[in-house]
Amino acid sequence: MYSSAFLLAVLSHTVSGLPGERHGLAKRDSTLIPTSCFDSTSSLTQYFNYNYPWGDTHNGAAIMKDSNSVIADAGVLTLNATYTGASDYAYDSGTVYAKQQFTVEAGGGLDFSAQFIAPVETGTWPAFWLNGVNSWPPEIDVAEWKGSGDISFNTFNSSSEVQAQDVKYPSPTDYHTVLAELRDEDGSNVSVNFYLDGTLITTQYASGLVGQPLNLIIDLQMEGSSGSPGPTGTTLFQIKNLEVIDKNA
Ligand SMILES: *[C@@H]1O[C@H](CO)[C@@H](O)[C@H](O)[C@H]1NC(C)=O
Ligand SMILES: *[C@@H]1O[C@H](CO)[C@@H](O)[C@H](O)[C@H]1NC(C)=O
Ligand SMILES: *[C@@H]1O[C@H](CO)[C@@H](O)[C@H](O)[C@H]1NC(C)=O
């Protein structure tokens, strides 16, 4: 007790001596996943595992294979869904999830951002989303495209208590930027500001999310919620400049 009080006194003295720092309460953002994460296959596998946290399938017609998540150009992750016509899963596709788990701590927050070229055709279901480690829900769809030409931003409190905002997805063959800011609202609920290309689209609230660990998943699922039949060729989902910033410090 005595020694830690002493240490605190020394630290706050040191911090208050730095120009531009707030007395003793300096908050620093830290980068949990840097924008260089897709610079090479080794940086991809430093930060991400292949497939879903629970396996290689999820509510759709694609089975995930490691070989369908590739760094073809430095800086860009490409997920490739290819029609095989197999009777159980008609597509081979790619999914990765972050090796780290992410938690909004009391008084804190997290920022998730990336740029995407996302397919919007019927039967194509790319997504960039957060899923509860210990239970479902929680789920936050930072960005999801369900084969309708729209992008969807969603927060699930339960399977029936869902906030969902769909907006037209402009020029899908160009990159667009998505950002979700998660913040502790009241010690229990979390607010989520969803941005598309720098414009705030919607603010949603996740019940009791403070302190609950989340998995970050990037997948190219097919058919399922995006309708059918899906395309019989190859579909690509491309992601660059992904960044996760810790606002919990
Ligand atoms: C997608 O995967 C298919 C099947 O493996 C392959 O033939 C094709 O070259 C890939 N396309 C790209 C752009 O990666
Ligand atoms: C969480 O939000 C609900 C609904 O707005 C509210 O009733 C509840 O009091 C909030 N929790 C806290 C800890 O403020
Ligand atoms: C989910 O819970 C939050 C916090 O309690 C609440 O503000 C929000 O309205 C709920 N969502 C729905 C769709 O009821």
Side-chain angles (χ1 to χ4, degrees), residues 67-68 70 72 78-82 92 234-236 238:
S67 56
N68 291 54
V70 298
T78 298
L79 305 185
N80 173 342
T82 296
D92 287 351
T234 288
T235 301
L236 302 180
Q238 291 173 297

Coordinates of all heavy atoms in Angstrom, one line a residue, residues 67-68 70 72 78-82 92 234-236 238, ligand 1:
S67 N -7.0 -21.9 -47.8 CA -6.4 -21.4 -49.1 C -7.3 -20.4 -49.8 O -6.9 -19.7 -50.7 CB -6.3 -22.6 -50.0 OG -7.5 -23.3 -50.2
N68 N -8.5 -20.1 -49.2 CA -9.4 -19.1 -49.8 C -9.3 -17.8 -49.1 O -10.1 -16.9 -49.4 CB -10.8 -19.6 -49.9 CG -11.0 -20.8 -50.9 OD1 -10.2 -21.7 -50.9 ND2 -11.9 -20.6 -51.9
V70 N -6.4 -15.1 -48.8 CA -5.1 -14.9 -49.2 C -4.7 -13.4 -49.3 O -5.5 -12.5 -49.4 CB -4.9 -15.5 -50.7 CG1 -5.1 -17.0 -50.7 CG2 -5.8 -14.8 -51.7
A72 N -3.0 -11.5 -51.8 CA -2.5 -11.6 -53.1 C -1.7 -10.3 -53.5 O -0.7 -10.4 -54.2 CB -3.7 -11.7 -54.1
T78 N -7.8 -10.9 -49.4 CA -8.9 -11.3 -50.4 C -9.5 -12.6 -49.9 O -8.8 -13.6 -49.7 CB -8.3 -11.5 -51.8 OG1 -7.7 -10.2 -52.2 CG2 -9.3 -12.0 -52.8
L79 N -10.8 -12.6 -49.7 CA -11.5 -13.8 -49.4 C -12.2 -14.2 -50.7 O -12.8 -13.3 -51.4 CB -12.6 -13.6 -48.3 CG -12.1 -13.0 -47.0 CD1 -13.2 -13.0 -46.0 CD2 -10.9 -13.8 -46.5
N80 N -12.1 -15.5 -51.1 CA -12.4 -15.9 -52.4 C -13.5 -17.1 -52.3 O -13.1 -18.1 -51.7 CB -11.2 -16.4 -53.1 CG -11.4 -17.1 -54.5 OD1 -12.5 -17.5 -54.8 ND2 -10.3 -17.3 -55.2
A81 N -14.7 -16.8 -52.7 CA -15.7 -17.9 -52.7 C -15.9 -18.4 -54.1 O -16.1 -17.7 -55.1 CB -17.1 -17.3 -52.3
T82 N -15.6 -19.7 -54.3 CA -15.7 -20.4 -55.6 C -16.7 -21.5 -55.5 O -16.7 -22.3 -54.6 CB -14.3 -20.9 -55.9 OG1 -13.4 -19.8 -56.1 CG2 -14.3 -21.7 -57.3
D92 N -16.6 -23.3 -51.8 CA -15.4 -23.1 -51.0 C -15.2 -21.6 -50.8 O -15.2 -20.9 -51.8 CB -14.1 -23.7 -51.6 CG -14.1 -25.2 -51.7 OD1 -15.0 -25.8 -51.0 OD2 -13.2 -25.8 -52.3
T234 N -16.6 -17.1 -59.4 CA -15.8 -16.8 -58.2 C -16.3 -15.4 -57.7 O -16.5 -14.5 -58.5 CB -14.3 -16.7 -58.6 OG1 -13.9 -18.1 -58.8 CG2 -13.5 -16.0 -57.6
T235 N -16.4 -15.2 -56.4 CA -16.8 -14.0 -55.8 C -15.7 -13.6 -54.8 O -15.2 -14.4 -54.1 CB -18.1 -14.2 -55.0 OG1 -19.1 -14.6 -55.8 CG2 -18.5 -12.9 -54.3
L236 N -15.3 -12.3 -54.9 CA -14.2 -11.8 -54.1 C -14.7 -10.8 -53.1 O -15.5 -9.9 -53.4 CB -13.0 -11.2 -54.9 CG -12.4 -12.1 -56.0 CD1 -11.3 -11.4 -56.7 CD2 -11.9 -13.4 -55.4
Q238 N -12.7 -8.0 -50.5 CA -11.4 -7.5 -50.3 C -11.4 -6.5 -49.1 O -12.3 -5.6 -49.1 CB -10.8 -6.9 -51.5 CG -10.5 -8.0 -52.6 CD -10.1 -7.4 -53.9 OE1 -10.8 -6.8 -54.6 NE2 -8.8 -7.7 -54.3
Ligands
LIG1 C1 -10.2 -18.0 -56.4 O1 -10.1 -19.4 -56.1 C2 -10.2 -20.2 -57.3 C3 -10.3 -21.7 -56.9 O2 -9.2 -22.0 -56.1 C4 -8.9 -19.9 -58.2 O3 -9.0 -20.7 -59.4 C5 -8.9 -18.4 -58.5 O4 -7.7 -18.2 -59.2 C6 -9.0 -17.6 -57.3 N1 -9.1 -16.2 -57.7 C7 -8.5 -15.2 -57.1 C8 -8.6 -13.9 -57.7 O5 -7.8 -15.4 -56.1

